[in-house]
Amino acid sequence: MAVPFLGWLILPFYFITSGVYRNWPHLADGGEVARFFAGVNFVGTWDELFFICTCFASLRRHFGVWTANLLQATIFVSFLWELGYQAWGPLLTAPFAPLQGWLFARTGSLLYVLIVHLLFDVVVFLAIVHARHPGAIPIFLV
């Protein structure tokens, strides 16, 4: 549960102070918010299917676990940079990506990795909505 808590603590500050929340849609009405929620969760699921099941698994065939994990983490952080996690976002994603690879290597469970990611993405979603509409979700410290 540390990952969602750290996200709750850090993400609103990150999105608001860096201004990178503007890299995501404006969210003018409830329909846009609902589509954004679905999109965030879809991308989070795709992330783990691609970066763990494809990149990490493929790299493990050629490298040791930690080398494969660091390589997939580098690709993951680069992808998220392009997706909009800019400014100091890589400082957040750099520890998250190898953590996910480590969880998968340790547990062998994609479901566990996916649950951790999607819990974090709920906080991402809430933090971006909060950054766009500060009074809408008064659960953050910033």
Side-chain angles (χ1 to χ4, degrees), residues 6 10 13 16 25 37 39 46-47 51 59 67 70 72 76 80 83 86 90 93 96-97 108 119 122-123 136 142:
L6 289 172
I10 298 168
F13 179 78
I16 292 169
F37 180 76
W46 182 90
D47 286 347
F51 292 106
L59 289 166
T67 303
L70 291 175
Q72 74 80 21
F76 184 69
L80 289 183
L83 194 63
Q86 297 173 357
T93 54
F96 182 71
L119 285 172
V122 166
V123 179
V142 177

Side-chain angles (χ1 to χ4, degrees), residues 20-119:
V20 297
Y21 69 90
R22 293 182 198 104
N23 293 339
W24 283 269
H26 185 340
L27 307 174
D29 60 40
E32 289 182 359
V33 171
R35 282 191 302 279
F36 182 59
F37 180 76
V40 167
N41 285 283
F42 176 80
V43 171
T45 301
W46 182 90
D47 286 347
E48 297 308 337
L49 291 173
F50 182 74
F51 292 106
I52 296 298
C53 292
T54 303
C55 291
F56 185 53
S58 295
L59 289 166
R60 280 182 63 183
R61 292 179 182 200
H62 305 285
F63 302 101
V65 171
W66 282 109
T67 303
N69 197 12
L70 291 175
L71 289 170
Q72 74 80 21
T74 302
I75 298 166
F76 184 69
V77 170
S78 300
F79 171 77
L80 289 183
W81 174 270
E82 291 300 321
L83 194 63
Y85 287 92
Q86 297 173 357
W88 50 279
L91 296 175
L92 299 174
T93 54
F96 182 71
L99 171 68
Q100 292 295 85
W102 176 79
L103 286 173
F104 183 72
R106 182 168 167 94
T107 66
S109 173
L110 180 63
L111 181 61
Y112 185 70
V113 170
L114 189 58
I115 288 168
V116 170
H117 192 129
L118 293 180
L119 285 172

Side-chain angles (χ1 to χ4, degrees), residues 2-14 123 140-142:
V3 170
F5 174 75
L6 289 172
W8 172 83
L9 192 63
I10 298 168
L11 286 173
F13 179 78
Y14 160 65
V123 179
F140 296 107
L141 302 174
V142 177

